[in-house]
Amino acid sequence: MADVRSADEWLSYAKDLVPVALEKAREVKEFPGRWKMIVSRLEQIPSRLSDLSSHPCFSKNMLCNEQLEAISKTLNELIELAEICSTGKYDGKLRMQSDLDSLSGKLDLNLRDCGLLIKTGVLGEVTMSSDLEGTTHRSSDIRELLARLQIGHLEAKHKALDSLVDVMKEDEKTVLSIVGRSNIGALVQLLTATSPRIREKTVTLICLLAESGGCESWLVSEGVLPPLIRLLESGSSIGREKSAIALQRLSMSEETARSIVGHGGVPPLIDICETGDSVSQASATCTLKNLSIIPEIRQTLAEEGIVKIMISVLDSGILLGSKEYAAECLRNLTSSNDDLKRCVIADGGVRSLLTYLDGPLPQEPAVAAVRNLVGLVSVESLISLGILPRLVHVLRSGSIGAQKAATSSICRICNTVEVKKLVGESGCIPLLIKLLEAKSNGSREVAAQAIASLMTVQYNRREVKKDEKSVPSLVQLLDPSPQNTAKKYAVSCLSLLSSSKRCRKLMVSYGAIGYLKKLSELEIPGCTKLLEKLERGKLRNLFGKK
């Protein structure tokens, strides 16, 4: 019967029930306080029905039918309970009180949903979408599903959530083009629903919306962070996983990252790094990495025990991605604060980072973390931990960022003749010379700086001299343009090579004199002396030929 009634028929039926329900409710003498509240709600029904029926889209959408059906069902239940109460034939006072409270709640829901249909424009949006020429049926369906998140009982919302999750996976673009702030607000409210299933489905949909990158600001402004953090603490495994993924995406915003800390998100994130499954661990580690980017948050993270946890993930993280996030987090934590550097060193961070560098394609974060720490560790300890073969491995196989960080580490540890000789003997000099040709100016500069430092040792000078690419590459770094910040180190290296006649000839043949003349105007240290040396040698060669 419910399926075949039109909206007008349901309206007429509900209107006929209201006076009957009011009469019956007013006659009841039992539970006067509860019935007084029920009557006060019941008296608001006619105006809501009037508002609903006067809407231009009243008869065009199934939402109206369902709402009027729900109101009619509540009114029938009210009439039945009123008759039972009036006759006194009910099964115990407590049972009847509970039934009346439930009835009062249903009336509240009916009144609220009627108001939402009118005030939020949901009814008009859904109907207009289905009426627009050229609009797909899918678009209309999505609007209706989103509307159902805001009205009706929990089971109906659960069904809408199921459908929306499926649609989001199939047609994310259409959902994102339709979803509005009120829909987001309704979703966030469902995160605190009493039903675990509804919480799971809701956080799954919120996770998809967060990952899409189009709703972050609405999610945060509608208060999604506290319930997501609560799900991290006490949700099901699915709830924890989806919450972690959502927070990973949301924490990319610095302002949101601060809010996550403010809402107490750090302890549950750290807990998931320890106890979560592979996906949850990776997402939680990445979120903490995002938080560690903000300098003033780092001390708070350290106080919550993040250093030991990140070292643990680096040692035994389930996914390679988790380990990389942990390395990035340690790099951020050690970028400026000496106390945090000492904390990482004390907890065995250097050994773990170096071990991690044994992988086939070393990336920048772990090498940069090592670079940040070497100044506070004795060179003897670093060498005993095997830093030199790891740095050579990075120079040979790492990313360009990793190579740059490794070269910077070499510069920092080369503080004695003995260490410089060990570095030279490790086989890194040909790799550093190759780095002189890198596209990045920063990489070329730090490579030239490292070579200049190493060449103060005779063994290393011989190694540089043996490499056919050393002089040509260094001469190219004499380029006087402001963008070239390696020129002073190139001058230093070439000056150390200028005692060799073969090297001087090579410098001249590759145009060093022209570069040096321009550099002498910039007052680069050692430039004038090297220029004079090359010009004298050139003159001697000319006279020798005659």
Side-chain angles (χ1 to χ4, degrees):
M1 188 71 180
D3 292 337
V4 297
R5 292 191 190 188
S6 67
D8 288 318
E9 287 171 330
W10 274 117
L11 178 65
S12 176
Y13 181 55
K15 281 183 174 180
D16 290 343
L17 286 174
V18 171
V20 178
L22 274 170
E23 184 183 350
K24 297 282 186 184
R26 287 168 178 159
E27 288 175 355
V28 181
K29 299 293 187 278
E30 298 282 330
F31 312 103
R34 282 179 168 79
W35 278 107
K36 185 177 180 181
M37 289 176 63
I38 289 169
V39 167
S40 69
R41 287 165 171 75
L42 187 53
E43 287 170 341
Q44 298 174 51
I45 294 289
S47 64
R48 294 299 169 90
L49 292 176
S50 176
D51 290 342
L52 202 59
S53 62
S54 61
H55 195 284
C57 302
F58 167 68
S59 61
K60 298 179 181 180
N61 195 275
M62 187 55 67
L63 290 170
C64 273
N65 285 45
E66 292 177 9
Q67 190 55 42
L68 290 167
E69 182 184 355
I71 290 171
S72 300
K73 186 178 177 182
T74 303
L75 292 171
N76 277 319
E77 186 180 336
L78 189 155
I79 292 167
E80 184 183 344
L81 284 174
E83 288 174 347
I84 293 171
C85 274
S86 294
T87 59
K89 295 178 180 178
Y90 48 82
D91 299 330
K93 261 190 164 184
L94 291 176
R95 172 70 180 273
M96 180 51 71
Q97 285 173 348
S98 175
D99 289 344
L100 292 175
D101 289 341
S102 174
L103 174 64
S104 189
K106 289 175 184 177
L107 282 167
D108 278 338
L109 182 63
N110 294 150
L111 291 167
R112 186 188 74 89
D113 287 351
C114 271
L116 277 172
L117 279 173
I118 304 299
K119 291 177 183 176
T120 62
V122 162
L123 190 57
E125 285 176 6
V126 173
T127 309
M128 286 172 64
S129 172
S130 60
D131 287 347
L132 282 173
E133 186 178 349
T135 302
T136 63
H137 180 62
R138 170 56 62 84
S139 179
S140 174
D141 289 346
I142 293 170
R143 288 184 186 278
E144 185 169 318
L145 289 171
L146 289 168
R148 290 181 186 280
L149 296 179
Q150 301 177 67
I151 61 172
H153 51 79
L154 279 179
E155 193 55 40
K157 291 176 180 177
H158 186 207
K159 289 178 182 176
L161 280 168
D162 271 337
S163 299
L164 277 168
V165 168
D166 292 339
V167 174
M168 186 74 181
K169 290 175 181 175
E170 296 168 10
D171 194 1
E172 177 186 295
K173 188 176 179 181
T174 303
V175 176
L176 292 175
S177 69
I178 293 170
V179 72
R181 184 165 186 160
S182 61
N183 308 130
I184 298 293
L187 263 180
V188 170
Q189 288 180 24
L190 289 175
L191 278 177
T192 55
T194 52
S195 163
R197 287 188 310 150
I198 287 180
R199 291 199 300 269
E200 278 187 10
K201 290 288 167 57
T202 302
V203 77
T204 299
L205 185 53
I206 283 175
C207 177
L208 291 170
L209 289 169
E211 286 186 297
S212 73
C215 303
E216 297 103 316
S217 59
W218 279 349
L219 284 166
V220 174
S221 63
E222 289 297 324
V224 79
L225 295 180
L228 282 180
I229 290 167
R230 281 197 293 276
L231 280 174
L232 274 186
E233 293 171 324
S234 55
S236 63
S237 59
I238 293 174
R240 283 157 65 92
E241 177 185 306
K242 299 301 182 184
S243 296
I245 295 170
L247 286 170
Q248 174 185 347
R249 176 70 196 201
L250 295 172
S251 64
M252 292 171 69
S253 154
E254 184 174 318
E255 185 179 349
T256 304
R258 294 176 195 276
S259 295
I260 290 170
V261 175
H263 286 296
V266 175
L269 285 166
I270 284 178
D271 181 60
I272 285 185
C273 287
E274 286 186 287
T275 62
D277 59 27
S278 59
V279 176
S280 299
Q281 184 188 67
S283 296
T285 307
C286 184
T287 304
L288 290 167
K289 179 266 295 182
N290 291 342
L291 302 186
S292 71
I293 292 171
I294 305 168
E296 57 267 32
I297 288 177
R298 292 170 188 160
Q299 189 58 45
T300 302
L301 295 174
E303 289 165 4
E304 295 288 354
I306 194 173
V307 171
K308 283 185 178 179
I309 295 301
M310 289 300 109
I311 292 171
S312 173
V313 173
L314 194 65
D315 288 338
S316 52
I318 305 168
L319 298 177
L320 185 60
S322 300
K323 295 186 174 191
E324 192 63 19
Y325 293 141
E328 286 187 67
C329 188
L330 289 170
R331 177 198 62 190
N332 295 338
L333 292 172
T334 58
S335 62
S336 57
N337 188 315
D338 281 356
D339 288 337
L340 289 179
K341 291 178 186 179
R342 292 187 184 94
C343 188
V344 173
I345 293 165
D347 287 332
V350 177
R351 183 186 298 276
S352 296
L353 286 163
L354 290 174
T355 301
Y356 178 62
L357 291 181
D358 289 333
L361 296 168
Q363 298 300 306
E364 183 269 343
V367 193
V370 171
R371 176 202 62 204
N372 294 342
L373 296 171
V374 292
L376 294 178
V377 183
S378 71
V379 177
E380 292 76 11
S381 297
L382 291 170
I383 290 171
S384 68
L385 287 170
I387 191 172
L388 294 182
R390 268 60 177 259
L391 292 177
V392 171
H393 172 54
V394 173
L395 288 172
R396 184 175 288 116
S397 307
S399 67
I400 188 66
Q403 291 175 2
K404 181 182 175 184
T407 307
S408 181
S409 300
I410 289 170
C411 292
R412 296 185 185 194
I413 65 173
C414 285
N415 51 9
T416 66
V417 171
E418 291 77 14
V419 173
K420 290 178 183 180
K421 191 167 187 295
L422 286 172
V423 171
E425 290 170 348
S426 70
C428 74
I429 287 177
L431 300 169
L432 290 172
I433 290 170
K434 185 179 178 182
L435 199 58
L436 293 174
E437 299 175 346
K439 290 182 180 179
S440 159
N441 176 64
S443 298
R444 295 195 300 269
E445 179 186 10
V446 75
Q449 182 184 0
I451 294 168
S453 174
L454 292 169
M455 284 181 67
T456 56
V457 174
Q458 188 175 6
Y459 171 84
N460 296 335
R461 281 201 298 278
R462 285 200 300 269
E463 291 299 303
V464 173
K465 203 180 295 182
K466 277 193 285 184
D467 195 298
E468 291 181 357
K469 290 187 175 181
S470 60
V471 173
S473 297
L474 287 166
V475 170
Q476 290 303 307
L477 292 181
L478 294 175
D479 181 355
S481 68
Q483 291 77 25
N484 174 28
T485 52
K487 43 187 174 278
K488 66 177 179 179
Y489 302 115
V491 170
S492 177
C493 293
L494 291 169
S495 296
L496 289 167
L497 291 172
S498 63
S499 58
S500 161
K501 184 177 180 181
R502 183 182 67 83
C503 287
R504 287 198 304 273
K505 282 185 176 181
L506 278 172
M507 291 178 208
V508 172
S509 67
Y510 280 100
I513 290 176
Y515 282 132
L516 290 168
K517 284 179 178 177
K518 293 177 181 177
L519 288 181
S520 61
E521 298 171 8
L522 300 176
E523 299 182 355
I524 302 294
C527 174
T528 304
K529 190 174 180 182
L530 177 59
L531 176 60
E532 290 172 353
K533 199 168 189 179
L534 294 182
E535 286 182 326
R536 281 199 304 271
K538 189 177 179 183
L539 284 172
R540 279 198 297 270
N541 288 339
L542 285 172
F543 287 122
K545 286 177 183 178
K546 289 179 180 179

